[in-house]
Short mmCIF file of all heavy atoms in Angstrom, two decimals:
data_model
loop_
_atom_site.label_atom_id
_atom_site.label_comp_id
_atom_site.label_asym_id
_atom_site.label_seq_id
_atom_site.Cartn_x
_atom_site.Cartn_y
_atom_site.Cartn_z
N MET A 1 -66.10 -62.70 19.28
CA MET A 1 -66.25 -61.85 18.11
C MET A 1 -64.95 -61.79 17.32
O MET A 1 -64.99 -61.72 16.10
CB MET A 1 -66.68 -60.46 18.57
CG MET A 1 -67.13 -59.60 17.44
SD MET A 1 -68.58 -60.32 16.66
CE MET A 1 -69.35 -58.92 16.02
N LYS A 2 -63.82 -61.82 18.02
CA LYS A 2 -62.54 -61.78 17.35
C LYS A 2 -62.34 -63.00 16.45
O LYS A 2 -61.84 -62.88 15.34
CB LYS A 2 -61.44 -61.70 18.40
CG LYS A 2 -60.11 -61.26 17.88
CD LYS A 2 -59.10 -61.22 19.00
CE LYS A 2 -58.48 -59.86 19.07
NZ LYS A 2 -57.42 -59.79 20.08
N ASN A 3 -62.74 -64.17 16.94
CA ASN A 3 -62.62 -65.39 16.15
C ASN A 3 -63.48 -65.32 14.89
O ASN A 3 -63.07 -65.80 13.84
CB ASN A 3 -63.01 -66.62 16.97
CG ASN A 3 -61.98 -66.94 18.04
OD1 ASN A 3 -60.83 -66.55 17.93
ND2 ASN A 3 -62.41 -67.63 19.07
N PHE A 4 -64.65 -64.74 15.01
CA PHE A 4 -65.55 -64.60 13.86
C PHE A 4 -64.91 -63.74 12.78
O PHE A 4 -64.98 -64.06 11.60
CB PHE A 4 -66.89 -64.01 14.32
CG PHE A 4 -67.90 -63.89 13.21
CD1 PHE A 4 -68.48 -65.02 12.66
CD2 PHE A 4 -68.25 -62.65 12.72
CE1 PHE A 4 -69.40 -64.91 11.64
CE2 PHE A 4 -69.18 -62.52 11.70
CZ PHE A 4 -69.76 -63.67 11.16
N ASN A 5 -64.26 -62.66 13.18
CA ASN A 5 -63.57 -61.78 12.23
C ASN A 5 -62.42 -62.51 11.53
O ASN A 5 -62.20 -62.32 10.34
CB ASN A 5 -63.05 -60.53 12.92
CG ASN A 5 -64.17 -59.60 13.34
OD1 ASN A 5 -65.26 -59.64 12.79
ND2 ASN A 5 -63.91 -58.77 14.33
N ILE A 6 -61.72 -63.34 12.27
CA ILE A 6 -60.62 -64.10 11.69
C ILE A 6 -61.16 -65.08 10.67
O ILE A 6 -60.60 -65.22 9.57
CB ILE A 6 -59.81 -64.82 12.79
CG1 ILE A 6 -59.06 -63.79 13.63
CG2 ILE A 6 -58.83 -65.82 12.19
CD1 ILE A 6 -58.41 -64.35 14.87
N ILE A 7 -62.24 -65.75 11.01
CA ILE A 7 -62.86 -66.71 10.09
C ILE A 7 -63.32 -66.00 8.82
O ILE A 7 -63.10 -66.49 7.71
CB ILE A 7 -64.01 -67.46 10.76
CG1 ILE A 7 -63.46 -68.39 11.85
CG2 ILE A 7 -64.83 -68.25 9.76
CD1 ILE A 7 -64.52 -69.01 12.74
N LEU A 8 -63.96 -64.85 8.97
CA LEU A 8 -64.40 -64.09 7.80
C LEU A 8 -63.22 -63.65 6.94
O LEU A 8 -63.30 -63.69 5.71
CB LEU A 8 -65.22 -62.87 8.24
CG LEU A 8 -66.64 -63.14 8.70
CD1 LEU A 8 -67.30 -61.84 9.14
CD2 LEU A 8 -67.45 -63.79 7.60
N ALA A 9 -62.14 -63.26 7.56
CA ALA A 9 -60.96 -62.83 6.82
C ALA A 9 -60.37 -64.00 6.03
O ALA A 9 -59.99 -63.85 4.86
CB ALA A 9 -59.92 -62.25 7.77
N VAL A 10 -60.30 -65.16 6.65
CA VAL A 10 -59.77 -66.34 5.97
C VAL A 10 -60.66 -66.72 4.80
O VAL A 10 -60.18 -67.00 3.69
CB VAL A 10 -59.61 -67.52 6.96
CG1 VAL A 10 -59.32 -68.82 6.23
CG2 VAL A 10 -58.52 -67.22 7.97
N LEU A 11 -61.97 -66.75 5.02
CA LEU A 11 -62.90 -67.09 3.94
C LEU A 11 -62.84 -66.07 2.81
O LEU A 11 -62.87 -66.43 1.63
CB LEU A 11 -64.33 -67.21 4.47
CG LEU A 11 -64.60 -68.43 5.36
CD1 LEU A 11 -66.01 -68.36 5.92
CD2 LEU A 11 -64.39 -69.71 4.60
N GLY A 12 -62.77 -64.80 3.16
CA GLY A 12 -62.67 -63.75 2.15
C GLY A 12 -61.40 -63.88 1.34
O GLY A 12 -61.40 -63.72 0.11
N GLY A 13 -60.29 -64.17 2.01
CA GLY A 13 -59.02 -64.36 1.31
C GLY A 13 -59.05 -65.57 0.39
O GLY A 13 -58.53 -65.53 -0.73
N ALA A 14 -59.67 -66.64 0.86
CA ALA A 14 -59.78 -67.85 0.03
C ALA A 14 -60.64 -67.57 -1.20
O ALA A 14 -60.31 -68.00 -2.31
CB ALA A 14 -60.37 -68.99 0.85
N LEU A 15 -61.72 -66.85 -1.01
CA LEU A 15 -62.61 -66.52 -2.12
C LEU A 15 -61.90 -65.61 -3.13
O LEU A 15 -61.98 -65.82 -4.34
CB LEU A 15 -63.89 -65.85 -1.62
CG LEU A 15 -64.94 -65.52 -2.65
CD1 LEU A 15 -65.42 -66.78 -3.35
CD2 LEU A 15 -66.12 -64.83 -2.00
N ALA A 16 -61.18 -64.62 -2.63
CA ALA A 16 -60.44 -63.73 -3.53
C ALA A 16 -59.35 -64.48 -4.28
O ALA A 16 -59.16 -64.27 -5.48
CB ALA A 16 -59.84 -62.57 -2.72
N GLY A 17 -58.67 -65.37 -3.59
CA GLY A 17 -57.64 -66.18 -4.25
C GLY A 17 -58.21 -67.07 -5.33
O GLY A 17 -57.63 -67.20 -6.41
N ALA A 18 -59.35 -67.65 -5.03
CA ALA A 18 -60.01 -68.51 -6.02
C ALA A 18 -60.44 -67.69 -7.23
O ALA A 18 -60.31 -68.12 -8.38
CB ALA A 18 -61.21 -69.21 -5.40
N ALA A 19 -60.95 -66.50 -6.98
CA ALA A 19 -61.40 -65.63 -8.07
C ALA A 19 -60.23 -65.22 -8.97
O ALA A 19 -60.34 -65.26 -10.19
CB ALA A 19 -62.09 -64.40 -7.50
N VAL A 20 -59.11 -64.86 -8.36
CA VAL A 20 -57.94 -64.48 -9.15
C VAL A 20 -57.45 -65.68 -9.95
O VAL A 20 -57.09 -65.56 -11.12
CB VAL A 20 -56.82 -63.92 -8.24
CG1 VAL A 20 -55.52 -63.76 -8.99
CG2 VAL A 20 -57.25 -62.60 -7.64
N GLY A 21 -57.48 -66.85 -9.33
CA GLY A 21 -57.09 -68.06 -10.04
C GLY A 21 -57.98 -68.33 -11.24
O GLY A 21 -57.50 -68.74 -12.30
N LEU A 22 -59.26 -68.07 -11.08
CA LEU A 22 -60.19 -68.26 -12.20
C LEU A 22 -59.92 -67.27 -13.33
O LEU A 22 -59.99 -67.62 -14.50
CB LEU A 22 -61.63 -68.10 -11.74
CG LEU A 22 -62.21 -69.24 -10.92
CD1 LEU A 22 -63.60 -68.87 -10.42
CD2 LEU A 22 -62.28 -70.51 -11.73
N LEU A 23 -59.60 -66.05 -12.97
CA LEU A 23 -59.37 -65.03 -13.98
C LEU A 23 -58.11 -65.32 -14.80
O LEU A 23 -58.03 -64.97 -15.98
CB LEU A 23 -59.28 -63.65 -13.34
CG LEU A 23 -60.58 -63.11 -12.76
CD1 LEU A 23 -60.32 -61.80 -12.02
CD2 LEU A 23 -61.61 -62.90 -13.85
N PHE A 24 -57.12 -65.92 -14.18
CA PHE A 24 -55.86 -66.18 -14.87
C PHE A 24 -55.68 -67.66 -15.22
O PHE A 24 -54.58 -68.08 -15.58
CB PHE A 24 -54.69 -65.71 -14.00
CG PHE A 24 -54.65 -64.22 -13.85
CD1 PHE A 24 -55.08 -63.63 -12.68
CD2 PHE A 24 -54.23 -63.41 -14.89
CE1 PHE A 24 -55.06 -62.25 -12.54
CE2 PHE A 24 -54.22 -62.03 -14.75
CZ PHE A 24 -54.63 -61.45 -13.56
N ALA A 25 -56.74 -68.41 -15.17
CA ALA A 25 -56.67 -69.85 -15.45
C ALA A 25 -56.40 -70.10 -16.93
O ALA A 25 -56.88 -69.37 -17.79
CB ALA A 25 -57.98 -70.52 -15.05
N PRO A 26 -55.66 -71.15 -17.22
CA PRO A 26 -55.35 -71.46 -18.62
C PRO A 26 -56.50 -72.14 -19.36
O PRO A 26 -56.47 -72.21 -20.58
CB PRO A 26 -54.15 -72.40 -18.52
CG PRO A 26 -54.30 -73.04 -17.19
CD PRO A 26 -54.95 -72.00 -16.30
N ASN A 27 -57.51 -72.62 -18.65
CA ASN A 27 -58.63 -73.32 -19.28
C ASN A 27 -59.73 -72.36 -19.66
O ASN A 27 -59.81 -71.25 -19.12
CB ASN A 27 -59.20 -74.38 -18.35
CG ASN A 27 -58.21 -75.46 -18.03
OD1 ASN A 27 -57.34 -75.75 -18.82
ND2 ASN A 27 -58.32 -76.04 -16.85
N LYS A 28 -60.61 -72.81 -20.57
CA LYS A 28 -61.78 -72.02 -20.92
C LYS A 28 -62.65 -71.84 -19.68
O LYS A 28 -62.72 -72.72 -18.83
CB LYS A 28 -62.59 -72.72 -22.00
CG LYS A 28 -61.96 -72.69 -23.37
CD LYS A 28 -62.75 -73.46 -24.40
CE LYS A 28 -64.23 -73.33 -24.25
NZ LYS A 28 -65.01 -74.05 -25.25
N GLY A 29 -63.36 -70.74 -19.62
CA GLY A 29 -64.24 -70.46 -18.49
C GLY A 29 -65.32 -71.50 -18.31
O GLY A 29 -65.63 -71.90 -17.19
N SER A 30 -65.90 -71.97 -19.42
CA SER A 30 -66.97 -72.96 -19.32
C SER A 30 -66.43 -74.28 -18.74
O SER A 30 -67.11 -74.92 -17.94
CB SER A 30 -67.61 -73.20 -20.69
OG SER A 30 -66.65 -73.65 -21.62
N ASP A 31 -65.21 -74.66 -19.12
CA ASP A 31 -64.61 -75.88 -18.57
C ASP A 31 -64.35 -75.71 -17.07
O ASP A 31 -64.60 -76.62 -16.28
CB ASP A 31 -63.30 -76.21 -19.28
CG ASP A 31 -63.50 -76.60 -20.74
OD1 ASP A 31 -64.64 -76.96 -21.11
OD2 ASP A 31 -62.52 -76.52 -21.50
N THR A 32 -63.83 -74.56 -16.71
CA THR A 32 -63.54 -74.30 -15.31
C THR A 32 -64.81 -74.29 -14.47
O THR A 32 -64.86 -74.86 -13.39
CB THR A 32 -62.80 -72.95 -15.16
OG1 THR A 32 -61.61 -72.99 -15.95
CG2 THR A 32 -62.43 -72.69 -13.72
N ARG A 33 -65.87 -73.65 -14.99
CA ARG A 33 -67.14 -73.61 -14.26
C ARG A 33 -67.71 -75.01 -14.08
O ARG A 33 -68.26 -75.34 -13.04
CB ARG A 33 -68.12 -72.70 -14.97
CG ARG A 33 -67.80 -71.24 -14.80
CD ARG A 33 -68.85 -70.37 -15.49
NE ARG A 33 -68.56 -68.98 -15.33
CZ ARG A 33 -67.83 -68.26 -16.18
NH1 ARG A 33 -67.32 -68.81 -17.25
NH2 ARG A 33 -67.61 -66.98 -15.94
N THR A 34 -67.57 -75.85 -15.11
CA THR A 34 -68.06 -77.23 -15.01
C THR A 34 -67.30 -77.97 -13.92
O THR A 34 -67.90 -78.69 -13.11
CB THR A 34 -67.90 -77.95 -16.36
OG1 THR A 34 -68.65 -77.25 -17.34
CG2 THR A 34 -68.36 -79.39 -16.28
N LYS A 35 -65.99 -77.80 -13.87
CA LYS A 35 -65.19 -78.45 -12.84
C LYS A 35 -65.58 -77.95 -11.45
O LYS A 35 -65.64 -78.73 -10.50
CB LYS A 35 -63.71 -78.19 -13.09
CG LYS A 35 -63.15 -78.94 -14.27
CD LYS A 35 -61.69 -78.62 -14.46
CE LYS A 35 -61.15 -79.30 -15.69
NZ LYS A 35 -59.73 -79.00 -15.92
N ILE A 36 -65.83 -76.66 -11.33
CA ILE A 36 -66.24 -76.10 -10.04
C ILE A 36 -67.58 -76.68 -9.62
O ILE A 36 -67.77 -77.07 -8.46
CB ILE A 36 -66.31 -74.55 -10.10
CG1 ILE A 36 -64.91 -73.97 -10.25
CG2 ILE A 36 -66.99 -73.99 -8.86
CD1 ILE A 36 -64.89 -72.50 -10.55
N LYS A 37 -68.53 -76.74 -10.55
CA LYS A 37 -69.84 -77.30 -10.22
C LYS A 37 -69.71 -78.75 -9.78
O LYS A 37 -70.35 -79.18 -8.82
CB LYS A 37 -70.78 -77.20 -11.42
CG LYS A 37 -71.39 -75.83 -11.55
CD LYS A 37 -72.31 -75.61 -12.72
CE LYS A 37 -73.02 -76.74 -13.32
NZ LYS A 37 -73.91 -76.37 -14.43
N GLU A 38 -68.87 -79.54 -10.47
CA GLU A 38 -68.67 -80.93 -10.09
C GLU A 38 -68.04 -81.05 -8.71
O GLU A 38 -68.44 -81.89 -7.91
CB GLU A 38 -67.79 -81.64 -11.14
CG GLU A 38 -68.49 -81.84 -12.46
CD GLU A 38 -67.57 -82.35 -13.55
OE1 GLU A 38 -66.36 -82.55 -13.29
OE2 GLU A 38 -68.06 -82.53 -14.68
N TYR A 39 -67.07 -80.18 -8.42
CA TYR A 39 -66.42 -80.19 -7.11
C TYR A 39 -67.42 -79.85 -6.00
O TYR A 39 -67.49 -80.52 -4.99
CB TYR A 39 -65.25 -79.20 -7.10
CG TYR A 39 -64.59 -79.08 -5.75
CD1 TYR A 39 -63.62 -80.00 -5.37
CD2 TYR A 39 -64.94 -78.08 -4.86
CE1 TYR A 39 -63.01 -79.90 -4.13
CE2 TYR A 39 -64.34 -77.97 -3.62
CZ TYR A 39 -63.38 -78.89 -3.26
OH TYR A 39 -62.78 -78.79 -2.03
N LEU A 40 -68.19 -78.78 -6.23
CA LEU A 40 -69.17 -78.37 -5.23
C LEU A 40 -70.23 -79.44 -5.03
O LEU A 40 -70.62 -79.73 -3.89
CB LEU A 40 -69.82 -77.05 -5.63
CG LEU A 40 -68.92 -75.81 -5.63
CD1 LEU A 40 -69.67 -74.61 -6.18
CD2 LEU A 40 -68.38 -75.54 -4.25
N LYS A 41 -70.68 -80.06 -6.11
CA LYS A 41 -71.69 -81.11 -6.03
C LYS A 41 -71.16 -82.30 -5.24
O LYS A 41 -71.87 -82.89 -4.43
CB LYS A 41 -72.12 -81.55 -7.43
CG LYS A 41 -73.27 -82.51 -7.44
CD LYS A 41 -73.70 -82.81 -8.86
CE LYS A 41 -74.86 -83.80 -8.88
NZ LYS A 41 -75.24 -84.12 -10.25
N ALA A 42 -69.89 -82.64 -5.46
CA ALA A 42 -69.27 -83.75 -4.72
C ALA A 42 -69.19 -83.46 -3.23
O ALA A 42 -69.15 -84.38 -2.41
CB ALA A 42 -67.88 -84.03 -5.28
N HIS A 43 -69.18 -82.18 -2.87
CA HIS A 43 -69.11 -81.80 -1.47
C HIS A 43 -70.47 -81.35 -0.91
O HIS A 43 -70.54 -80.70 0.13
CB HIS A 43 -68.07 -80.70 -1.28
CG HIS A 43 -66.67 -81.21 -1.44
ND1 HIS A 43 -66.07 -81.35 -2.67
CD2 HIS A 43 -65.78 -81.67 -0.53
CE1 HIS A 43 -64.86 -81.84 -2.50
NE2 HIS A 43 -64.66 -82.06 -1.22
N GLY A 44 -71.53 -81.68 -1.62
CA GLY A 44 -72.88 -81.44 -1.12
C GLY A 44 -73.43 -80.05 -1.36
O GLY A 44 -74.45 -79.68 -0.79
N ILE A 45 -72.78 -79.26 -2.20
CA ILE A 45 -73.26 -77.90 -2.50
C ILE A 45 -73.77 -77.90 -3.93
O ILE A 45 -73.02 -78.20 -4.86
CB ILE A 45 -72.14 -76.86 -2.34
CG1 ILE A 45 -71.59 -76.91 -0.91
CG2 ILE A 45 -72.64 -75.47 -2.70
CD1 ILE A 45 -70.33 -76.11 -0.72
N LYS A 46 -75.04 -77.59 -4.10
CA LYS A 46 -75.62 -77.62 -5.44
C LYS A 46 -75.93 -76.20 -5.90
O LYS A 46 -76.63 -75.45 -5.24
CB LYS A 46 -76.90 -78.46 -5.43
CG LYS A 46 -76.63 -79.90 -5.09
CD LYS A 46 -77.90 -80.71 -5.04
CE LYS A 46 -77.57 -82.12 -4.60
NZ LYS A 46 -78.75 -82.92 -4.38
N LEU A 47 -75.38 -75.83 -7.06
CA LEU A 47 -75.64 -74.53 -7.67
C LEU A 47 -76.18 -74.75 -9.07
O LEU A 47 -75.68 -75.59 -9.81
CB LEU A 47 -74.36 -73.70 -7.77
CG LEU A 47 -73.79 -73.10 -6.50
CD1 LEU A 47 -72.49 -72.39 -6.81
CD2 LEU A 47 -74.76 -72.15 -5.87
N LYS A 48 -77.18 -74.00 -9.42
CA LYS A 48 -77.66 -74.02 -10.80
C LYS A 48 -76.69 -73.21 -11.65
O LYS A 48 -75.91 -72.40 -11.14
CB LYS A 48 -79.06 -73.40 -10.87
CG LYS A 48 -80.10 -74.20 -10.13
CD LYS A 48 -81.44 -73.51 -10.21
CE LYS A 48 -82.46 -74.28 -9.39
NZ LYS A 48 -83.73 -73.59 -9.32
N HIS A 49 -76.75 -73.41 -12.96
CA HIS A 49 -75.84 -72.72 -13.87
C HIS A 49 -75.95 -71.20 -13.70
O HIS A 49 -74.94 -70.51 -13.63
CB HIS A 49 -76.14 -73.11 -15.32
CG HIS A 49 -75.25 -72.45 -16.31
ND1 HIS A 49 -73.94 -72.82 -16.47
CD2 HIS A 49 -75.47 -71.44 -17.18
CE1 HIS A 49 -73.39 -72.06 -17.40
NE2 HIS A 49 -74.30 -71.23 -17.85
N ASP A 50 -77.17 -70.70 -13.59
CA ASP A 50 -77.38 -69.26 -13.42
C ASP A 50 -76.77 -68.76 -12.12
O ASP A 50 -76.20 -67.66 -12.07
CB ASP A 50 -78.87 -68.92 -13.45
CG ASP A 50 -79.50 -69.18 -14.80
OD1 ASP A 50 -78.75 -69.32 -15.79
OD2 ASP A 50 -80.74 -69.25 -14.87
N GLU A 51 -76.88 -69.55 -11.06
CA GLU A 51 -76.32 -69.15 -9.77
C GLU A 51 -74.80 -69.09 -9.83
O GLU A 51 -74.18 -68.19 -9.27
CB GLU A 51 -76.76 -70.12 -8.67
CG GLU A 51 -78.25 -70.08 -8.38
CD GLU A 51 -78.71 -71.19 -7.46
OE1 GLU A 51 -78.13 -72.29 -7.50
OE2 GLU A 51 -79.65 -70.94 -6.70
N LEU A 52 -74.21 -70.06 -10.53
CA LEU A 52 -72.76 -70.06 -10.68
C LEU A 52 -72.30 -68.87 -11.51
O LEU A 52 -71.31 -68.22 -11.18
CB LEU A 52 -72.29 -71.37 -11.33
CG LEU A 52 -70.79 -71.56 -11.46
CD1 LEU A 52 -70.12 -71.52 -10.10
CD2 LEU A 52 -70.49 -72.86 -12.16
N GLU A 53 -73.02 -68.56 -12.57
CA GLU A 53 -72.69 -67.40 -13.40
C GLU A 53 -72.80 -66.11 -12.58
O GLU A 53 -71.96 -65.22 -12.70
CB GLU A 53 -73.62 -67.33 -14.61
CG GLU A 53 -73.40 -68.44 -15.62
CD GLU A 53 -72.05 -68.34 -16.31
OE1 GLU A 53 -71.54 -67.22 -16.51
OE2 GLU A 53 -71.49 -69.40 -16.62
N GLU A 54 -73.84 -66.02 -11.77
CA GLU A 54 -74.03 -64.83 -10.93
C GLU A 54 -72.89 -64.69 -9.92
O GLU A 54 -72.37 -63.60 -9.71
CB GLU A 54 -75.37 -64.90 -10.20
CG GLU A 54 -75.66 -63.69 -9.36
CD GLU A 54 -76.99 -63.79 -8.62
OE1 GLU A 54 -77.88 -64.54 -9.07
OE2 GLU A 54 -77.14 -63.11 -7.60
N LEU A 55 -72.50 -65.82 -9.31
CA LEU A 55 -71.39 -65.80 -8.36
C LEU A 55 -70.11 -65.35 -9.04
O LEU A 55 -69.38 -64.52 -8.51
CB LEU A 55 -71.22 -67.19 -7.73
CG LEU A 55 -70.06 -67.36 -6.75
CD1 LEU A 55 -70.22 -66.42 -5.56
CD2 LEU A 55 -69.97 -68.80 -6.30
N ALA A 56 -69.83 -65.88 -10.22
CA ALA A 56 -68.63 -65.49 -10.96
C ALA A 56 -68.67 -64.00 -11.31
O ALA A 56 -67.65 -63.31 -11.20
CB ALA A 56 -68.50 -66.34 -12.22
N SER A 57 -69.82 -63.50 -11.70
CA SER A 57 -69.95 -62.08 -12.02
C SER A 57 -69.73 -61.20 -10.80
O SER A 57 -69.09 -60.15 -10.88
CB SER A 57 -71.33 -61.79 -12.61
OG SER A 57 -71.51 -62.47 -13.82
N GLN A 58 -70.25 -61.63 -9.66
CA GLN A 58 -70.06 -60.87 -8.42
C GLN A 58 -68.59 -60.82 -8.03
O GLN A 58 -68.08 -59.78 -7.62
CB GLN A 58 -70.89 -61.48 -7.29
CG GLN A 58 -72.37 -61.27 -7.42
CD GLN A 58 -73.16 -62.01 -6.35
OE1 GLN A 58 -72.61 -62.79 -5.59
NE2 GLN A 58 -74.45 -61.78 -6.32
N ILE A 59 -67.92 -61.95 -8.17
CA ILE A 59 -66.49 -62.00 -7.84
C ILE A 59 -65.70 -61.10 -8.78
O ILE A 59 -64.84 -60.33 -8.34
CB ILE A 59 -65.97 -63.45 -7.90
CG1 ILE A 59 -66.59 -64.28 -6.78
CG2 ILE A 59 -64.45 -63.50 -7.83
CD1 ILE A 59 -66.35 -65.76 -6.91
N GLU A 60 -66.02 -61.16 -10.06
CA GLU A 60 -65.33 -60.31 -11.03
C GLU A 60 -65.56 -58.83 -10.72
O GLU A 60 -64.62 -58.03 -10.76
CB GLU A 60 -65.81 -60.63 -12.44
CG GLU A 60 -65.13 -59.81 -13.51
CD GLU A 60 -65.66 -60.12 -14.89
OE1 GLU A 60 -66.63 -60.89 -15.05
OE2 GLU A 60 -65.09 -59.56 -15.85
N ALA A 61 -66.79 -58.46 -10.39
CA ALA A 61 -67.10 -57.07 -10.07
C ALA A 61 -66.35 -56.62 -8.83
O ALA A 61 -65.81 -55.50 -8.79
CB ALA A 61 -68.59 -56.90 -9.87
N GLU A 62 -66.27 -57.49 -7.82
CA GLU A 62 -65.54 -57.16 -6.59
C GLU A 62 -64.08 -56.92 -6.90
O GLU A 62 -63.49 -55.96 -6.41
CB GLU A 62 -65.66 -58.33 -5.63
CG GLU A 62 -66.36 -58.23 -4.32
CD GLU A 62 -66.62 -56.90 -3.69
OE1 GLU A 62 -65.76 -56.39 -2.98
OE2 GLU A 62 -67.71 -56.38 -3.85
N LEU A 63 -63.48 -57.79 -7.70
CA LEU A 63 -62.08 -57.65 -8.03
C LEU A 63 -61.82 -56.42 -8.86
O LEU A 63 -60.82 -55.72 -8.67
CB LEU A 63 -61.57 -58.90 -8.76
CG LEU A 63 -61.46 -60.15 -7.89
CD1 LEU A 63 -61.10 -61.35 -8.76
CD2 LEU A 63 -60.42 -59.96 -6.81
N THR A 64 -62.71 -56.11 -9.77
CA THR A 64 -62.56 -54.93 -10.60
C THR A 64 -62.63 -53.66 -9.75
O THR A 64 -61.84 -52.74 -9.95
CB THR A 64 -63.66 -54.89 -11.68
OG1 THR A 64 -63.58 -56.09 -12.46
CG2 THR A 64 -63.48 -53.70 -12.60
N ASN A 65 -63.55 -53.63 -8.80
CA ASN A 65 -63.70 -52.46 -7.93
C ASN A 65 -62.48 -52.27 -7.03
O ASN A 65 -62.10 -51.14 -6.74
CB ASN A 65 -64.94 -52.58 -7.06
CG ASN A 65 -66.22 -52.42 -7.87
OD1 ASN A 65 -66.21 -51.83 -8.95
ND2 ASN A 65 -67.30 -52.98 -7.37
N LYS A 66 -61.85 -53.34 -6.60
CA LYS A 66 -60.72 -53.23 -5.70
C LYS A 66 -59.45 -52.82 -6.42
O LYS A 66 -58.55 -52.26 -5.82
CB LYS A 66 -60.50 -54.56 -4.95
CG LYS A 66 -61.58 -54.82 -3.94
CD LYS A 66 -61.30 -56.03 -3.13
CE LYS A 66 -62.43 -56.19 -2.12
NZ LYS A 66 -62.17 -57.19 -1.15
N THR A 67 -59.35 -53.11 -7.71
CA THR A 67 -58.14 -52.75 -8.45
C THR A 67 -58.20 -51.33 -8.99
O THR A 67 -57.19 -50.81 -9.45
CB THR A 67 -57.89 -53.74 -9.62
OG1 THR A 67 -59.01 -53.71 -10.50
CG2 THR A 67 -57.64 -55.13 -9.10
N GLU A 68 -59.34 -50.71 -8.97
CA GLU A 68 -59.47 -49.33 -9.50
C GLU A 68 -59.10 -48.32 -8.47
O GLU A 68 -59.07 -48.41 -7.35
CB GLU A 68 -60.90 -49.10 -9.98
CG GLU A 68 -61.22 -49.91 -11.19
CD GLU A 68 -62.64 -49.70 -11.66
OE1 GLU A 68 -63.48 -49.12 -10.94
OE2 GLU A 68 -62.95 -50.13 -12.78
#
């Protein structure tokens, strides 16, 4: 169980880091999302545009809630 918690913590940290990177990225959001979709597709993960938008919104909401 301890290993599972460590794995979850690492994944959560990676996700939060990626989200912060997206928020402060110098590129347009649409360009960044396209690059993310291409990266995920290259690694066998397929997301529809709506799913990617929903994921980005969830990450933004999580970050907003944690900073308040």
Side-chain angles (χ1 to χ4, degrees):
M1 192 62 153
K2 197 180 235 184
N3 289 337
F4 183 70
N5 290 337
I6 291 171
I7 292 170
L8 284 178
V10 169
L11 290 175
L15 184 60
V20 170
L22 286 174
L23 291 174
F24 293 103
N27 296 331
K28 287 177 38 179
S30 59
D31 294 340
T32 303
R33 285 182 180 91
T34 300
K35 288 179 184 179
I36 292 170
K37 280 179 25 178
E38 290 171 0
Y39 176 84
L40 293 175
K41 187 176 179 182
H43 289 84
I45 302 170
K46 297 178 184 173
L47 287 177
K48 295 179 183 174
H49 181 73
D50 294 344
E51 293 171 328
L52 184 60
E53 291 294 327
E54 182 181 337
L55 177 61
S57 296
Q58 289 174 353
I59 292 169
E60 181 182 6
E62 244 342 273
L63 289 174
T64 303
N65 289 337
K66 289 185 179 190
T67 59
E68 292 179 347

